[in-house]
Each structure stands twice: as C-alpha cells, then as structure tokens.
Amino acid sequence: MDNVKFVNELYEAFKRGDLPYILERFGDLQNSGVAADAGKRAPWHFPLLGRGAVGKYFEALMGALEPIRLEARDLAVSGEWVYATLTQEWKVRASGKLLVMKDGAHRFRIRDGKVIEWRAFEDTALSCEALGL
C-alpha cells in the first residue's frame, strides 16, 4: 500500500473514533512519542516504546482531551517516512477550554504495513497551558 494512503487512512480512522483500526497498524515502536520540551509535560507526553504504548498514549490523550477537529495536510513521503502538517482542535475535558494547535507535525516510519516509529511535534507549552499545568 502507498504510505501516504496508509497514513491518511489512520487519520480517517481517528476521525471516526476507530482506535482498534489504528492500534492494529502499529508494530513494536521504537524512538516514538511527542517531542516535548524539558519543562512541564501533558499526560500524553511520554516515550512510546513497544506495541502496548500506543494504547496507553491514546488513553492519556483521550482522557484529557475530546477531539473536535483534525486536519492533516501537506503529506510528504520519503521511502519509509511520511510527514504531515496538522491543525487540531480539542476540548479540555476538565475545564471545557478549547485547545487549538496549528502547524503541528507527525512523522511516521512505516515498514511491512506497520508503523514502527511515530513522532508528534506540537506546541507543548500551549498544551500544558490549556490543561492548567
């Protein structure tokens, strides 16, 4: 399968709330997680290692935030790597505050039909501020 199509299908699954579809397409992760600064961290800002880490990531993310909008654009591919620029809108579950993240990025490494490496780049200070951390 074309890697850009593969990643687009992951985003579509997320939009429809189909986490089992997403989890099936992740392998044994290495060097993955949110690229957070060394200061405060949101609950989903932790290293993702191994297959079980993806479920823990979504549990932490969805426990804190309710998804409103996810727009992936500017997808680019180079061999096993796919890059996407994102705009995301979330509602903070604890406060109802709106968190808008523009121009974030995801980097996927895909091998044999599985994501083996994934990295998210976001404004971690903005995320922590929205959560009141």
Side-chain angles (χ1 to χ4, degrees):
M1 175 187 292
D2 172 272
N3 284 346
V4 169
K5 181 178 179 187
F6 180 90
V7 168
N8 271 322
E9 288 178 359
L10 292 175
Y11 288 129
E12 290 304 314
F14 181 81
K15 289 177 189 178
R16 67 178 180 267
D18 191 352
L19 293 180
Y21 179 92
I22 296 168
L23 294 174
E24 289 173 10
R25 280 143 185 87
F26 274 75
D28 202 19
L29 287 180
Q30 54 186 311
N31 191 30
S32 297
V34 176
D37 61 31
K40 295 179 181 176
R41 293 175 182 238
W44 60 91
H45 294 166
F46 58 86
L48 302 179
L49 300 172
R51 185 168 164 74
V54 179
K56 291 176 186 175
Y57 167 81
F58 279 114
E59 184 178 309
L61 178 70
M62 302 304 276
L65 304 175
E66 177 184 333
I68 295 173
R69 180 170 78 104
L70 171 71
E71 176 190 338
R73 60 190 190 286
D74 308 323
L75 275 76
V77 65
S78 177
E80 296 179 325
W81 300 94
V82 177
Y83 303 84
T85 305
L86 303 165
T87 297
Q88 303 171 70
E89 291 182 21
W90 303 85
K91 183 169 117 180
V92 177
R93 293 190 189 277
S95 68
K97 185 174 182 172
L98 185 65
L99 170 60
V100 178
M101 294 189 277
K102 297 179 180 179
D103 297 323
H106 285 167
R107 181 186 76 195
F108 297 84
R109 187 174 188 186
I110 301 162
R111 184 178 295 154
D112 299 325
K114 298 283 185 185
V115 177
I116 61 164
E117 194 172 322
W118 174 81
R119 180 76 60 188
F121 301 88
E122 67 181 57
D123 184 337
T124 56
L126 182 65
S127 299
C128 290
E129 179 185 324
L131 293 168
L133 301 176

